[in-house]
């Protein structure tokens, strides 16, 4: 890994690597693990929370491929490859499904390229999703995604890493303006529904520089103009669970909400 990661400043934690550390992955360095420890100290359920996010990502992609007829996925802020990545879930349902992973962190490309070398329907690009014009014009994106056909725009566990002055709402609209009706928007986001959220937000901001816990109303705004599919914008374990719906949610289960909406 050292060779492949040459040129990266591993003394500065990255969101992608810290998330990998929280998920128990191996593609991280001491600076990332130190952030993971700080987050765990503030909120011991952080690893579970990250796993709930990965679980809904898989359920959401399965829904999109199996029930919403989606064969094209633009996974923005994709993170490092882990278990049940978007292309694996989508291509299980639709072997022809095409997936472009976009991440600002070059380590995602380094690890993703090796992982995806055999998969002609999947690409990883390094780009800043805050520039939708550039991402949408990227030749690798255009080579794989047909914008005349529906696309899933995925911002899973991502928008809370954008500050308000990045204009996350405008960014979501720019991507959704570029896709045809029948396309879908998939968002999960840190939610400030419990007092625990504030302490965790402080830790994120102190050690990673991002991590904005928005209110349910602020997160619902991102879906304005689109039709939320059932069950709407809900705590992650309540979105089409594989097993029975939990009757009582723990504070960890209430720290993120998510949903999928259709452009009509
Ligand atoms: N979507 C994956 C998931 O939910 O499991 C990964 C989420 S991870 C918490 C957030 C990812 O967003 C990181 O890999 C980070 O590098 C990436 N990211 C942060 N800011 C970004 C930006 N401006 N453009 C593209 N990617 C960004």
């Amino acid at each position: 890994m050292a060779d492949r990661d040459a040129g990266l400043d591993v003394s500065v934690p990255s969101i992608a690597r810290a998330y990998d550390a929280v998920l128990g992955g191996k593609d991280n360095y001491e600076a990332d693990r130190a952030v993971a420890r700080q987050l765990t100290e503030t909120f011991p359920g952080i690893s579970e929370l990250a796993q709930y996010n990965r679980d809904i990502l898989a359920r959401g992609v399965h829904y999109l491929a199996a029930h919403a007829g989606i064969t094209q996925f633009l996974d923005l802020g994709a993170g490092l490859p882990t278990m049940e990545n978007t292309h694996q879930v989508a291509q299980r349902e639709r072997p022809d499904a095409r997936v472009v992973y976009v991440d600002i962190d070059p380590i995602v490309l380094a690890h993703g390229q090796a992982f995806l070398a055999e998969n002609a329907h999947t690409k990883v690009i390094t780009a800043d999703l805050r520039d939708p014009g550039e991402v949408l014009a990227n030749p690798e994106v255009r080579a794989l995604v047909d914008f005349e056909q529906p696309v899933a725009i995925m911002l899973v566990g991502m928008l809370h890493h954008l500050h308000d002055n990045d204009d996350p709402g405008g960014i979501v609209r720019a991507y959704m303006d570029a896709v045809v009706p029948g396309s879908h928007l998939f968002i999960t986001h840190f939610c400030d529904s419990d007092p625990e959220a504030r302490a965790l937000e402080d830790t994120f901001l102190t050690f990673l520089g991002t991590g904005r816990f928005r209110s349910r109303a602020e997160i619902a705004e991102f879906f304005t103009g689109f039709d939320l599919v059932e069950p709407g914008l809900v705590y992650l374990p309540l979105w089409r669970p594989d097993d029975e719906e939990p009757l009582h949610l723990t504070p960890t289960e209430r720290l993120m909400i998510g949903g999928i909406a259709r452009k009509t």
Side-chain angles (χ1 to χ4, degrees):
M1 187 157 129
D3 286 344
R4 203 163 49 209
D5 297 345
L8 295 183
D9 183 355
V10 298
S11 67
V12 178
S14 92
I15 299 170
R17 285 182 267 125
Y19 183 61
D20 180 70
V22 165
L23 278 168
K26 293 193 173 11
D27 300 326
N28 50 72
Y29 296 93
E30 181 45 34
D32 311 304
R33 293 190 282 276
V35 172
R37 284 195 296 274
Q38 291 288 348
L39 292 169
T40 309
E41 203 167 290
T42 306
F43 190 78
I46 189 75
S47 293
E48 257 176 286
L49 181 65
Q51 195 54 56
Y52 293 140
N53 188 57
R54 291 302 306 178
D55 292 347
I56 189 180
L57 185 147
R59 296 199 303 280
V61 170
H62 170 81
Y63 166 83
L64 290 164
H67 304 292
I70 296 291
T71 56
Q72 310 191 96
F73 297 80
L74 195 54
D75 190 344
L76 299 163
L80 280 156
T82 172
M83 304 284 282
E84 290 290 87
N85 300 292
T86 299
H87 73 285
Q88 291 161 319
V89 179
Q91 290 171 358
R92 200 177 300 138
E93 287 307 319
R94 315 277 301 234
D96 60 335
R98 278 154 288 152
V99 178
V100 182
Y101 293 109
V102 179
D103 205 285
I104 199 168
D105 192 331
I107 199 172
V108 173
L109 176 63
H111 287 254
Q113 251 176 357
F115 187 73
L116 301 167
E118 303 293 309
N119 194 307
H121 285 164
T122 305
K123 281 256 174 271
V124 187
I125 67 163
T126 302
D128 187 340
L129 68 86
R130 289 172 298 181
D131 190 343
E134 196 174 312
V135 171
L136 293 164
N138 181 292
E140 294 195 90
V141 173
R142 308 240 46 123
L144 214 55
V145 178
D146 174 1
F147 284 92
E148 300 299 312
Q149 301 297 322
V151 182
I153 300 295
M154 296 176 57
L155 288 152
V156 177
M158 191 329 63
L159 288 174
H160 43 241
H161 292 297
L162 298 188
H163 298 286
D164 290 351
N165 61 14
D166 289 321
D167 187 19
I171 291 170
V172 171
R173 276 193 302 282
Y175 284 104
M176 292 307 288
D177 282 349
V179 294
V180 297
S183 295
H184 285 67
L185 173 64
F186 181 7
I187 292 174
T188 67
H189 200 296
F190 287 146
C191 182
D192 68 0
S193 40
D194 276 329
E196 278 89 345
R198 282 289 160 247
L200 192 54
E201 180 174 51
D202 283 350
T203 308
F204 267 104
L205 290 171
T206 306
F207 293 96
L208 271 182
T210 65
R212 164 89 158 82
F213 283 63
R214 295 191 167 89
S215 67
R216 159 177 288 277
E218 287 174 311
I219 299 165
E221 274 278 301
F222 296 133
F223 290 102
T224 302
F226 311 116
D227 293 347
L228 274 165
V229 304
E230 286 296 322
L233 180 60
V234 294
Y235 295 121
L236 304 191
L238 301 182
W239 199 91
R240 297 178 183 245
D242 291 332
D243 303 318
E244 297 248 313
E245 258 185 32
L247 285 179
H248 302 287
L249 294 180
T250 63
T252 308
E253 291 170 327
R254 289 194 300 265
L255 271 190
M256 284 182 85
I257 60 175
I260 292 184
R262 185 172 196 275
K263 177 172 176 171
T264 52

